Amino acid sequence: MGVSFSLARPKQKISSIRVKISINGISIILYTGRSVETCHWDNKKCFVKSYVGKNTTTLLIQRLKELEIEILNLLDRYKNGKPKMSFVDLENKIKTLVDRPDNKNQKTDKSQLLSKETLIGFMDLFIQDCESGVRLSPKRQKLKPTSISSYKTTKGYLMKFQDLTNKVLTLKDFSQSDIDKFSDFLIIDEEFAMNTHAKAMMDLLQIIKYAVKHKKISAAKLVELEFDTRREETDSIYLTEGEILQLLEIHEFDDPIQEQVRDVFVVGCFTAMRFSDYSTIDPAAIRNNRLEFVQKKTGGKVTIPIHPVVNTILKKYDNSLPKVPKNNEFNRIIKLVGEKLPCLHVPFTKQVTYGRERKEFVAMKFMYLQTHTARRAFCSNEYIKGTDPLIIMAISGHKSHKSFMRYIKVSADQFADKLEGIWQERYSQIN
C-alpha cells in the first residue's frame, strides 16, 4: 500500500496534479485540485521541487504533504483498525478527503460503466484478446497457447456450473457466493484435485482483474472477493539412472511404437526437456554436441550438453527422433513399457487432496510413469549426485530455486546414503 503523485499533462506548461493510492494490487487515481507549472516538477521524485530560500512552491508542497499523511492514516486504519474498515468505506473516505467535483463525476461515470453482460460473454472477449495479443503477459509478450488453453478449459467448467445451477452469471452481480459455489462444484461435483481446483480459480481471478481493468467491475468489488488458489506439493515418482538404463535394455516390444516412445522418453531423462520440446527435437538445434533451442512453454533459450546415452539414441535415428503420439497416448504407452521392467513392480503411495480430504492412492511404480517423469528424473538424479543446483536450473530452464525444488523427489534413504558417502570420504582423508 502506498501513495504517489503524478502530473495529468506533463508536456503542458501547467498541469493538474493527481494522486495514486495503491491498495493490495488495486489503484485509485484522483485529482488533488492542485496545479503546478511543469518546470517545477521533479520527475525522479514524482513530486514538486523545493527551492532553498524561496517560497515558489512551499505552500503547494505543504498541502500535498498534508494530503499524503491523511491518506496514509486512512490506509493504516483500513489495514490495522478495529473494527476493520471495508474497502468501499476506505474508497469513499479517500474521495471525501480529496473532495473534488471532477472526482465525484468520475465516480458517477464509473457506476454508469458497470456492465450487465454475462461472465461467459466477457470470458470470450478475454480469450479473444489473449489470442490476438491485446492482452499480454507480465513480460509484455503474447501468451503461450498452453495458457490460453487453460482459460478455455476454465470457461468450460463455468458453463457446466451454470447448467448445473440453472443460473447465468453476470459481471454486475458476480459475488463471493458465486465464487464459493463454483469452488464447491469443482471440488465436490467434479472431484478435482486441489491443484486442478487452484488453477481454475487462478484463471478466474485473472479474468475478473481484466474486467476491473476494463471498468466492467469496480476495483472496490475485486478487493472484497477471495479466490482460493492454494496449491499442494504432490507425490510424484522419478526414475533413478539405473532404472533408466534398465529401460534401455528392453528389446521385446508389443508394437514398434513402444520402442520409439521409450527412446524419446529416455532422451527427456538426460536433457531435462519438457515433452513439448523433447518430442519435437529439430536436428538444426544440434550443434557442437549440444542442444540449443527456445523452450516452447517459457520462451527461454537453453543450451544442453548431449549426454552419451542421448548421443547413441540420436545416432540411431540419424539425429531426427521419430514422431511420437500426443501427451495422453504417450503416457499410456510409456506405462506399458515400464510394466516390462521388474524393478518398477514396487508399490508407490501417492497422497493427493480430493474433496478437501488428504487421500492415499497405492499402485505399482510403473503406473505413475508419464511424460513429465523424464524432466523430474534429470533434476533429481543430478541433484543427488551433487551437481550445483544453479547448473541444473540453467539446463532445465527453472527461474527460481523454489520452483526447481518441486522437481526434486529424492527419498530420505537416498539423502542418508549421500551423507554417509560424504562422511566416508571426509574421514578417510583424515586417517
Side-chain angles (χ1 to χ4, degrees), residues 67-81:
L67 176 61
E68 182 178 14
I69 291 171
E70 290 175 316
I71 293 174
L72 289 173
N73 285 336
L74 283 175
L75 293 178
D76 183 64
R77 284 175 55 193
Y78 169 72
K79 183 178 181 181
N80 305 310

Side-chain angles (χ1 to χ4, degrees), residues 159-176:
M159 292 177 69
K160 191 172 181 180
F161 169 69
Q162 287 189 154
D163 290 340
L164 182 68
T165 58
N166 196 28
K167 177 182 179 181
V168 176
L169 298 174
T170 63
L171 290 174
K172 179 183 178 183
D173 300 321
F174 190 67
S175 66
Q176 185 65 51

Side-chain angles (χ1 to χ4, degrees), residues 266-267 269-273 281-293 302-315 319-321 378 382 395:
V266 171
V267 169
C269 291
F270 286 102
T271 59
M273 298 167 75
I281 290 180
D282 184 352
I286 304 172
R287 291 189 291 272
N288 300 321
N289 203 41
R290 293 180 178 180
L291 285 168
E292 298 180 7
F293 63 96
V302 293
T303 300
I304 302 173
I306 298 178
H307 190 279
V309 171
V310 175
N311 197 34
T312 300
I313 295 174
L314 288 173
K315 286 182 178 179
N319 285 344
S320 182
L321 291 179
F378 176 90
E382 291 299 327
I395 300 299

Side-chain angles (χ1 to χ4, degrees), residues 24-82:
N24 299 334
I26 302 298
S27 297
I28 301 173
I29 300 176
L30 301 171
Y31 286 89
T32 62
R34 310 284 174 178
S35 299
V36 66
E37 293 183 36
T38 52
C39 62
H40 297 312
W41 185 259
D42 190 324
N43 291 319
K44 290 184 178 180
K45 295 181 179 180
C46 294
F47 202 70
V48 181
K49 294 178 180 178
S50 60
Y51 302 95
V52 179
K54 294 183 180 180
N55 295 325
T56 309
T57 58
T58 302
L59 184 60
L60 178 57
I61 291 173
Q62 180 181 339
R63 295 288 182 265
L64 292 179
K65 285 292 183 183
E66 290 173 352
L67 176 61
E68 182 178 14
I69 291 171
E70 290 175 316
I71 293 174
L72 289 173
N73 285 336
L74 283 175
L75 293 178
D76 183 64
R77 284 175 55 193
Y78 169 72
K79 183 178 181 181
N80 305 310
K82 294 182 180 180

Side-chain angles (χ1 to χ4, degrees), residues 372-383:
H372 220 57
T373 305
R375 180 169 164 84
R376 198 178 299 116
F378 176 90
C379 294
S380 296
N381 286 325
E382 291 299 327
Y383 186 81

